[in-house]
């Protein structure tokens, strides 16, 4: 079946292929159906495995497991392809905007002019947050990490919107989507100002999404602040590139939390917390720390020797990806923008950029990285752009969270809107003690 924009809308297509399974201890056989998506590898449907054979599959880290069916984002990690709703990331980066991408991810199709104007107006008019939420920031210690504040405040939003939290009501889900995309920049800016000890700057509805975000970050009440259009453009690009990435750790966390029927603010807050880790959204912060630690080009060989030494536990941050075993397409786009931003900001001779480029060059020729198919990922360069824009390191992952919110909500909506949705409940291989009797404390 094909929809009007040529997208194959067939789902869970059965193929003629099956996987034959033989339990060698009982001789029992069963055949597992193979299903095809619109593009990408087929999947073996193992639902009958437990029913027929009483066994589970074992796949720590989901190395070979599709946790869900989805129509939102497609990645071909070997070819370096990333599509949002079928559109290549390169085309969206060159021609679209973050707001349009957020609409696309959540609605499945590009908006026409009126739909985009209505969506933009609604997002713009939902940017303010309840004053009580703002006052909550005063309860945080002055040196609280902004991610700690953002995850807590997002979870607290559920205490403010009782009128629109029926997750089974499509209109309530839509209002939630508008609210969370609109308010995340405001909440993030409040976290930033709290850390600086500066007064909070209210959102300005005459500015576009990214200009407003930068204004809330950098304006002070005592003088006017003009947003640099290139800074807003660079930020918009970063948000587009980070907006979704199919079933990554934080998105899977949002789905798992949301699958219990928890309210959507709780689910997104869980996603923010999952994103925080250095193996995920925290990587761009870690890249800058790593570059500073390396210090100069001369130190690169010594650092790479450490990375290759398994006993050291040191990784080349910003390199490697669970899915991309070829260049991350987002890294190519971001690299170009990085040069533009630094040239405009008069920091073309930025020593960290030079160091990053040399490090990339050397690593890409090194057998260790070549044989393991380790390439720079999106975060190898994003931190350098953020610092050129004046965004402090502790805010990098928050910027990522603002972008990924568009994807998180799209996945949450897709899951809740699916009538066959089930609570996510993985099983385990138990290796603990077998049943034993309790020993009273005096006898231990
Ligand atoms: N530096 C050095 N070695 C690495 C790196 C790295 N950055 N990444 C992977 N490897 C090595 C592993 O040691 C392993 O080697 P081995 O086969 O000799 O044991 C091999 O490559 C495979 O690595 P895994 O850890 O099994 O790969 P996995 O898919 O689990 O990990 C991950 C992916 C977490 C992204 C990893 O590459 C990493 O830690 N990278 C650095 C952190 C980073 O940049 N994260 C951002 C990811 S992108 C994002 O979230 C937007």
């Amino acid at each position: 079946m094909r929809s009007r924009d040529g997208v194959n809308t067939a789902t869970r297509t059965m193929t003629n292929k099956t996987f034959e399974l033989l339990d060698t201890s009982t001789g029992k056989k069963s055949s597992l159906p193979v299903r095809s998506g619109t593009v990408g590898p087929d999947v073996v449907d193992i639902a009958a495995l437990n029913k027929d054979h009483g066994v589970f599959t074992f796949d720590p880290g989901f190395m070979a497991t599709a946790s869900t069916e989805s129509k939102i984002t497609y990645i071909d990690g070997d070819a370096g392809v990333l599509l949002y709703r079928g559109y290549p990331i390169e085309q969206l980066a060159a021609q679209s905007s973050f707001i349009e991408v957020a609409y696309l991810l959540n609605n499945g199709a590009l908006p026409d002019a009126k739909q985009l104007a209505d969506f933009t107006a609604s997002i713009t008019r939902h940017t303010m947050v309840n004053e009580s939420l703002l006052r909550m920031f005063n309860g945080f210690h002055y040196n609280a990490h902004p991610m700690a504040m953002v995850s807590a405040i997002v979870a607290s939003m559920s205490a403010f919107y009782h009128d629109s939290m029926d997750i089974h009501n499509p209109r309530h889900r839509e209002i939630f989507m508008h609210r969370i995309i609109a308010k995340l920049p405001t909440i993030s800016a409040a976290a930033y100002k709290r850390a600086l000890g500066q007064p909070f700057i209210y959102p300005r509805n005459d500015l576009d999404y990214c200009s407003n975000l930068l204004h809330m970050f950098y304006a002070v009440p005592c003088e006017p602040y003009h947003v640099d259009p290139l800074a807003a453009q660079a930020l918009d690009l970063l948000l587009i590139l980070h907006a979704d990435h199919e079933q990554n750790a934080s998105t899977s966390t949002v789905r798992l939390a949301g699958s219990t029927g928890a309210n959507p603010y709780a689910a997104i807050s869980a996603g923010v917390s999952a994103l925080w880790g250095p193996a995920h959204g925290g990587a761009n912060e870690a890249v800058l720390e790593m570059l500073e630690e390396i210090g100069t080009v001369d130190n690169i060989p010594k650092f790479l020797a450490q990375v290759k030494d398994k006993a050291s536990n040191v990784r080349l941050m910003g390199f490697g990806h669970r899915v991309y075993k070829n260049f991350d397409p987002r890294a190519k786009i971001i690299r170009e923008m990085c040069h533009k931003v630094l040239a405009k900001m008069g920091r073309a001779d930025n020593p960290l950029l030079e160091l990053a480029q040399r490090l990339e060059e050397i690593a890409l020729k090194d057998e260790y990285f070549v044989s393991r198919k380790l390439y720079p990922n999106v975060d190898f360069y994003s931190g350098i752009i953020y610092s050129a824009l004046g965004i402090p390191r502790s805010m990098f992952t928050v910027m990522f969270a603002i972008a990924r919110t568009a994807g998180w909500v799209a996945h949450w909506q897709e899951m809740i809107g699916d009538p066959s949705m089930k609570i996510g409940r993985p099983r385990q291989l138990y290796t603990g003690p077998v049943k034993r009797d309790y020993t009273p404390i005096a006898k231990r």
Side-chain angles (χ1 to χ4, degrees):
M1 200 198 320
R2 283 193 180 263
S3 70
R4 72 184 154 81
D5 52 0
V7 175
N8 188 343
T9 55
T11 59
R12 296 188 186 184
T13 313
M14 300 297 292
T15 63
N16 296 328
K17 268 196 279 178
T18 52
F19 267 64
E20 297 302 317
L21 197 77
L22 169 66
D23 182 336
T24 51
S25 59
T26 61
K28 195 171 173 186
K29 281 186 186 167
S30 60
S31 56
L32 302 175
V34 175
R35 301 179 187 278
S36 282
T38 46
V39 60
D42 291 341
V43 300
V44 184
D45 185 337
I46 53 140
L49 208 54
N50 182 243
K51 193 161 58 78
D52 294 352
H53 294 271
V55 294
F56 299 124
T57 53
F58 182 63
D59 182 22
F62 295 98
M63 300 292 286
T65 298
S67 61
T68 188
E69 178 188 326
S70 181
K71 294 181 171 58
I72 301 172
T73 288
Y74 174 72
I75 303 172
D76 181 338
D78 292 325
V81 168
L82 170 61
L83 311 176
Y84 292 166
R85 299 283 189 181
Y87 297 102
I89 192 68
E90 293 80 4
Q91 291 181 23
L92 294 168
Q95 299 173 64
S96 188
S97 66
F98 174 65
I99 286 294
E100 187 178 62
V101 163
Y103 182 99
L104 171 69
L105 288 170
N106 280 279
N107 295 284
L110 285 170
D112 62 25
K114 179 168 182 330
Q115 286 167 329
L116 183 60
D118 289 350
F119 183 64
T120 307
S122 175
I123 296 295
T124 307
R125 301 204 76 80
H126 277 96
T127 47
M128 281 178 69
V129 297
N130 190 295
E131 286 294 307
S132 305
L133 264 178
L134 280 185
R135 280 195 290 275
M136 284 176 68
F137 280 94
N138 293 332
F140 290 105
H141 202 49
Y142 73 95
N143 61 358
H145 195 287
M147 283 295 276
M149 293 192 252
V150 171
S151 64
I153 298 290
V154 169
S156 308
M157 285 170 79
S158 56
F160 290 80
Y161 300 112
H162 301 290
D163 60 329
S164 54
M165 276 204 315
D166 175 1
I167 61 169
H168 301 295
N169 180 331
R171 177 66 188 136
H172 282 201
R173 297 203 292 266
E174 189 184 17
I175 295 170
F176 159 72
M177 185 260 279
H178 289 214
R179 275 196 175 129
I180 193 82
I181 291 173
K183 293 182 200 306
L184 237 271
T186 316
I187 290 167
S188 304
Y192 177 53
K193 290 296 198 189
R194 169 71 190 151
L196 280 184
Q198 283 185 5
F200 172 68
I201 299 293
Y202 283 89
R204 267 185 44 190
N205 289 357
D206 60 321
L207 296 176
D208 63 72
Y209 193 82
C210 286
S211 302
N212 174 50
L213 177 52
L214 290 169
H215 188 264
M216 288 191 292
F217 271 38
Y218 298 125
V220 286
C222 34
E223 60 189 33
Y225 176 79
H226 299 290
V227 177
D228 181 335
L230 181 65
Q233 189 199 341
L235 187 55
D236 200 64
L237 177 72
L238 284 164
L239 297 191
I240 292 174
L241 298 181
H242 284 92
D244 195 43
H245 217 228
E246 52 119 304
Q247 310 309 323
N248 58 87
S250 56
T251 302
S252 297
T253 301
V254 169
R255 279 189 179 259
L256 196 56
S259 78
T260 66
N263 75 72
Y265 298 100
I268 299 295
S269 169
V272 174
S273 301
L275 186 71
W276 197 354
H280 192 10
N284 49 13
E285 199 176 331
V287 168
L288 279 209
E289 275 158 21
M290 173 190 77
L291 291 174
E292 279 180 6
E293 197 190 310
I294 298 173
T296 62
V297 172
D298 302 347
N299 291 332
I300 293 176
K302 201 170 84 197
F303 175 75
L304 289 183
Q306 251 183 310
V307 167
K308 291 188 252 177
D309 174 7
K310 292 282 174 206
S312 77
N313 254 342
V314 177
R315 286 208 160 189
L316 177 52
M317 298 312 287
F319 257 66
H321 198 277
R322 170 60 62 80
V323 184
Y324 293 119
K325 301 302 171 194
N326 192 333
F327 230 87
D328 178 341
R330 303 166 301 172
K332 278 189 197 163
I333 301 169
I334 224 168
R335 199 170 186 261
E336 235 173 79
M337 179 51 94
C338 198
H339 286 282
K340 249 201 222 171
V341 169
L342 292 175
K344 169 84 189 294
M345 308 276 169
R347 294 178 204 164
D349 54 351
N350 183 310
L352 285 189
L353 178 66
E354 201 200 319
L355 186 59
Q357 283 175 320
R358 285 294 296 141
L359 185 56
E360 181 189 328
E361 242 172 70
I362 296 171
L364 287 176
K365 285 188 197 135
D366 189 305
E367 198 278 329
Y368 175 94
F369 298 94
V370 174
S371 61
R372 288 169 180 77
K373 298 187 176 168
L374 300 171
Y375 293 89
N377 58 50
V378 67
D379 286 326
F380 192 69
Y381 283 105
S382 65
I384 299 175
I385 304 190
Y386 284 136
S387 17
L389 299 181
I391 293 169
R393 215 169 289 176
S394 61
M395 286 297 292
F396 290 179
T397 319
V398 175
M399 306 310 287
F400 193 162
I402 294 172
R404 190 53 58 86
T405 295
W408 289 333
V409 184
H411 283 270
W412 176 80
Q413 292 210 80
E414 181 177 65
M415 179 185 68
I416 300 290
D418 178 355
S420 63
M421 178 189 107
K422 281 192 169 54
I423 183 171
R425 178 37 172 109
R427 304 303 291 253
Q428 64 169 8
L429 173 65
Y430 177 70
T431 52
V434 293
K435 181 172 177 274
R436 51 184 168 168
D437 290 325
Y438 178 83
T439 320
I441 197 155
K443 294 197 175 163
R444 277 177 231 159

